[in-house]
Amino acid sequence: MTQGTGTAVGMFENRLRKNVKHFRKWAKARGLTAFRVYDRDVPEYTYAVDLYGDRVHLVEYPRRRALKSLEEQRAEVLAAVTAVLEVPPERIHVKTHLPQPWGRSQYGRVGEGTERLVVEEQGLKFWVNLGDYLDTGLFMDHRLTRARVREEAKGKSFLNLFCYTGAFTVYAAAGGASRTFSVDLSNTYLDWAEDNLALNKLSDPRHTLLRADAMAWVQDQRKEPEQTFDLVVCDPPSFSTSKKMQGSFNVQRDHVRLLEGIRELLSPGGVLYFSTNFLGFELKDSATRDFEGVEELTPDSIPEDFQRKEIHRCWRMVAPRAGRR
């Protein structure tokens, strides 16, 4: 880079260099090969820069009033990332995150046929895909909550709702869960979850993957529960709609009914981890009145490499131990 250190791009480059030096050592000590090294630190450069092994996942968050064109700034950022991280441009995957109005999914394809790669996280391995979707298959901001699940899972029955690629399921299985049950509407993500279990040598008939609308499945189960669970994770999308489901799902509108249903599926003293990335979310009192204890874990649930602490909100909820149903 030729710009002076006093310029905005110079500030971006300097911050990136400082962050990389710190977080590479930090990540190695924690067994991470996937981690964030820049999180919109410099106001003029609203990018997230993530390292996945020897590749970079670069997401731009366009500002309404940019001081320069997006193309010009993108070129500056790419040059800085290439120089500082010593990663050639062909191993940098660039995406643009646009605000999604209700009714549109952020999980659609943005590319075709990108080769998958394996990353390591806290002693476990996961397949990621840096090119085909906006998200990579591993929500790194839930790393600390996944560790909690692994610590609590031994001998417990585990339910993963809206399971995506099954990272929480892998952690629960690795922690010694007696059985796991993972629900998602997407065959693609369920296959991915199965691959993640196999990658960690955790494939077993005790780990069930079910293709279903998680919200509808919970409501059906609460009528005549076939089974209860000691430990549940529910991390739904802010909004979703599909030809495979009836109506739509809106986390603000539907979370009361969702949490009431999950409460019916919890064993006495069972634990629910509930999270959402909808920034305007308000947890209603009526959603938690039948839980014995409710503790919000944010911002402590967000890892150190994520500077923007509003990326998600997360609660730990405990069902009454006396079997009050």
Side-chain angles (χ1 to χ4, degrees):
M1 301 290 292
T2 57
Q3 291 87 346
T5 57
T7 65
V9 67
M11 292 172 63
F12 167 76
E13 184 176 358
N14 289 340
R15 179 60 63 89
L16 182 63
R17 181 174 287 107
K18 179 181 177 181
N19 287 0
V20 168
K21 182 178 180 180
H22 168 71
F23 283 115
R24 274 187 167 144
K25 294 178 181 177
W26 174 90
K28 185 176 182 180
R30 288 158 179 77
L32 310 176
T33 63
F35 53 98
R36 181 156 293 187
V37 294
Y38 177 86
D39 198 12
R40 291 178 267 181
D41 303 40
V42 178
E44 294 86 354
Y45 284 77
T46 52
Y47 291 76
V49 183
D50 298 329
L51 274 172
Y52 285 82
D54 63 353
R55 297 172 186 264
V56 173
H57 189 248
L58 174 65
V59 180
E60 52 192 6
Y61 296 81
R63 302 173 68 196
R64 290 183 178 178
R65 295 182 179 180
L67 298 179
K68 57 183 68 176
S69 73
L70 183 61
E71 292 76 15
E72 181 183 357
Q73 187 179 74
R74 185 186 300 151
E76 292 177 345
V77 169
L78 279 170
V81 168
T82 299
V84 174
L85 302 185
E86 299 179 339
V87 175
E90 61 269 21
R91 294 211 303 265
I92 301 175
H93 300 264
V94 183
K95 299 172 190 171
T96 302
H97 186 284
L98 298 173
Q100 297 295 320
W102 290 113
R104 289 187 59 189
S105 170
Q106 63 175 320
Y107 300 113
R109 276 186 176 270
V110 296
E112 290 292 338
T114 298
E115 183 181 355
R116 296 193 304 176
L117 66 145
V118 174
V119 295
E120 298 180 16
E121 182 183 279
Q122 302 175 136
L124 298 171
K125 298 178 180 180
F126 297 93
W127 287 107
V128 295
N129 181 322
L130 303 189
D132 288 355
Y133 305 91
L134 181 60
D135 294 305
T136 65
L138 184 67
F139 291 128
M140 295 190 295
D141 59 299
H142 281 303
R143 198 187 297 130
L144 298 180
T145 307
R146 286 195 284 270
R148 276 178 169 261
V149 166
R150 177 166 57 182
E151 291 171 2
E152 296 179 22
K154 188 172 180 61
K156 295 181 179 179
S157 53
F158 173 73
L159 172 63
N160 189 359
L161 295 168
F162 306 92
C163 74
Y164 191 42
T165 61
F168 274 107
T169 302
V170 170
Y171 268 81
S178 59
R179 60 185 172 90
T180 70
F181 201 89
S182 305
V183 183
D184 200 278
L185 194 56
S186 167
N187 278 328
T188 297
Y189 292 144
L190 290 174
D191 290 344
W192 200 327
E194 187 173 17
D195 289 346
N196 278 333
L197 284 166
L199 181 63
N200 291 278
K201 297 180 171 56
L202 292 169
S203 297
D204 190 285
R206 294 176 300 164
H207 305 310
T208 302
L209 301 169
L210 176 69
R211 179 180 173 274
D213 173 359
M215 179 69 175
W217 182 84
V218 167
Q219 302 310 315
D220 287 343
Q221 290 297 304
R222 69 183 296 191
K223 297 173 187 173
E224 296 183 29
E226 299 174 4
Q227 53 191 326
T228 57
F229 298 90
D230 306 314
L231 185 60
V232 177
V233 166
C234 182
D235 180 29
S238 298
F239 179 92
S240 66
T241 185
S242 169
K243 295 178 181 178
K244 306 170 190 173
M245 60 190 291
Q246 293 183 349
S248 62
F249 176 82
N250 176 319
V251 70
Q252 185 62 63
R253 180 192 68 203
D254 298 327
H255 79 276
V256 174
R257 197 158 60 100
L258 176 62
L259 293 183
E260 287 176 347
I262 294 172
R263 166 66 189 84
E264 295 295 321
L265 301 181
L266 277 169
S267 306
V271 171
L272 163 66
Y273 285 99
F274 173 73
S275 181
T276 177
N277 64 352
F278 176 40
L279 298 185
F281 182 78
E282 294 182 10
L283 181 67
K284 294 188 177 296
D285 292 341
S286 56
T288 60
R289 61 189 173 194
D290 290 332
F291 287 89
E292 188 172 81
V294 177
E295 175 191 6
E296 182 165 4
L297 302 178
T298 41
D300 292 339
S301 63
I302 299 172
E304 183 183 333
D305 50 328
F306 284 77
Q307 301 298 308
R308 296 175 63 87
K309 300 304 181 185
E310 66 272 22
I311 191 168
H312 73 236
R313 293 180 70 189
C314 183
W315 290 263
R316 186 178 190 268
M317 305 179 186
V318 182
R321 286 165 177 79
R324 194 182 100 221
R325 300 194 66 82

